[in-house]
Amino acid sequence: METIKKLSRRTVYENRWMKVHEDQVQFPDGSNGIYGIVDKEDFALIIPRHADGSFQLVQQYRYPVGARYWEFPQGSWETKPGTNPEKVALGELEEETGYRAKSLTKLGNLFEAYGYSNQGMHVFLATELEVGQVNRDPGEQGMLTAAFSREEITRMIQSGEIKDAATVAALGLLAMSEQE
């Protein structure tokens, strides 16, 4: 089994959401190189499904890409690292959509972008939704929320209204769970 050996690590940037490291490494053939690693807390992604089969999405401005897109509610509690992912999921759902879930089913755990980051995502299906209270963070100003059918979501992915890879991957996990 091939492995890459870490020779040293230098943290080149850090804030409350992430650390960026530059690792000096040695490859299996003995040559040296570097890896840039974004170190981030895992996050929860929630698929809120209403009794009628529609799904609640959120739309917000995503600064790094300079545009607004629809996606499933998601987030982490970087000020409370190691918090139980189910608790994060329930909290993020209500914070972003104003809905509470009586039932939460874990569909899986994926990595967001393991070519450069160690961040994972815990994917949950939230059902038996009831109205709670929206309580968004300042960075979520202008967030919208609305319900869409599965067919509408498919069309939105095809048209580019949904470009969030985590949302598309979560739909895949949901589809696989429904085939079991």
Side-chain angles (χ1 to χ4, degrees), residues 13 40 43 80 82-83 102 125 131 135 145-146 160:
Y13 177 78
K40 289 191 73 164
F43 68 99
K80 299 177 184 175
T83 301
K102 288 185 178 179
L125 174 64
V131 177
N135 184 24
T145 186

Short mmCIF file of all heavy atoms in Angstrom, two decimals, residues 13 40 43 80 82-83 102 125 131 135 145-146 160:
data_model
loop_
_atom_site.label_atom_id
_atom_site.label_comp_id
_atom_site.label_asym_id
_atom_site.label_seq_id
_atom_site.Cartn_x
_atom_site.Cartn_y
_atom_site.Cartn_z
N TYR A 13 -2.19 29.95 7.66
CA TYR A 13 -3.33 30.83 7.89
C TYR A 13 -4.27 30.16 8.87
O TYR A 13 -4.43 28.94 8.85
CB TYR A 13 -4.07 31.12 6.58
CG TYR A 13 -5.29 31.97 6.78
CD1 TYR A 13 -5.20 33.35 6.96
CD2 TYR A 13 -6.56 31.40 6.81
CE1 TYR A 13 -6.33 34.13 7.16
CE2 TYR A 13 -7.69 32.17 7.01
CZ TYR A 13 -7.57 33.54 7.19
OH TYR A 13 -8.68 34.31 7.40
N LYS A 40 -10.84 21.85 8.38
CA LYS A 40 -12.12 22.43 8.80
C LYS A 40 -12.93 21.42 9.57
O LYS A 40 -12.86 20.21 9.31
CB LYS A 40 -12.95 22.86 7.56
CG LYS A 40 -12.39 24.07 6.85
CD LYS A 40 -13.36 24.60 5.83
CE LYS A 40 -14.49 25.29 6.55
NZ LYS A 40 -15.30 26.15 5.69
N PHE A 43 -19.27 19.21 8.87
CA PHE A 43 -20.55 19.91 8.88
C PHE A 43 -21.69 18.92 8.68
O PHE A 43 -21.48 17.77 8.31
CB PHE A 43 -20.60 21.03 7.83
CG PHE A 43 -20.60 20.58 6.39
CD1 PHE A 43 -21.77 20.50 5.67
CD2 PHE A 43 -19.40 20.27 5.74
CE1 PHE A 43 -21.77 20.12 4.34
CE2 PHE A 43 -19.39 19.88 4.41
CZ PHE A 43 -20.57 19.81 3.70
N LYS A 80 -18.06 25.32 18.62
CA LYS A 80 -18.29 24.18 19.50
C LYS A 80 -17.80 22.91 18.81
O LYS A 80 -18.58 22.02 18.48
CB LYS A 80 -19.77 24.04 19.85
CG LYS A 80 -20.35 25.24 20.59
CD LYS A 80 -21.83 25.04 20.83
CE LYS A 80 -22.44 26.27 21.48
NZ LYS A 80 -23.89 26.15 21.60
N GLY A 82 -16.58 19.31 17.75
CA GLY A 82 -16.88 18.00 18.30
C GLY A 82 -18.32 17.81 18.73
O GLY A 82 -18.67 16.77 19.28
N THR A 83 -19.19 18.80 18.47
CA THR A 83 -20.61 18.65 18.82
C THR A 83 -21.22 17.50 18.02
O THR A 83 -20.89 17.30 16.86
CB THR A 83 -21.37 19.96 18.52
OG1 THR A 83 -20.79 21.02 19.27
CG2 THR A 83 -22.84 19.84 18.90
N LYS A 102 -39.11 16.07 13.73
CA LYS A 102 -39.38 15.08 14.77
C LYS A 102 -38.59 13.80 14.50
O LYS A 102 -38.37 13.01 15.40
CB LYS A 102 -40.87 14.77 14.83
CG LYS A 102 -41.70 15.90 15.41
CD LYS A 102 -43.15 15.46 15.54
CE LYS A 102 -44.01 16.52 16.15
NZ LYS A 102 -45.42 16.10 16.25
N LEU A 125 -31.56 12.89 6.66
CA LEU A 125 -32.92 13.11 6.15
C LEU A 125 -33.77 13.53 7.34
O LEU A 125 -33.84 12.82 8.35
CB LEU A 125 -33.48 11.83 5.53
CG LEU A 125 -34.95 11.90 5.10
CD1 LEU A 125 -35.14 12.91 3.97
CD2 LEU A 125 -35.42 10.51 4.66
N VAL A 131 -43.26 23.71 12.18
CA VAL A 131 -42.76 25.07 12.15
C VAL A 131 -42.07 25.40 13.47
O VAL A 131 -42.61 25.14 14.55
CB VAL A 131 -43.90 26.07 11.87
CG1 VAL A 131 -43.38 27.50 11.92
CG2 VAL A 131 -44.51 25.79 10.51
N ASN A 135 -33.46 31.59 12.92
CA ASN A 135 -32.52 32.32 13.76
C ASN A 135 -31.15 32.33 13.06
O ASN A 135 -30.22 31.66 13.51
CB ASN A 135 -32.42 31.68 15.15
CG ASN A 135 -31.53 32.46 16.08
OD1 ASN A 135 -31.32 33.66 15.89
ND2 ASN A 135 -30.97 31.79 17.06
N THR A 145 -35.77 30.69 1.79
CA THR A 145 -36.08 29.27 1.92
C THR A 145 -37.41 29.02 1.22
O THR A 145 -38.31 29.86 1.26
CB THR A 145 -36.11 28.82 3.40
OG1 THR A 145 -36.28 27.40 3.45
CG2 THR A 145 -37.18 29.51 4.21
N ALA A 146 -37.51 27.87 0.57
CA ALA A 146 -38.73 27.50 -0.15
C ALA A 146 -38.73 25.99 -0.36
O ALA A 146 -37.69 25.34 -0.32
CB ALA A 146 -38.80 28.22 -1.50
N GLY A 160 -28.44 24.89 -13.52
CA GLY A 160 -27.39 25.61 -12.81
C GLY A 160 -27.88 26.45 -11.65
O GLY A 160 -27.10 27.19 -11.05
#
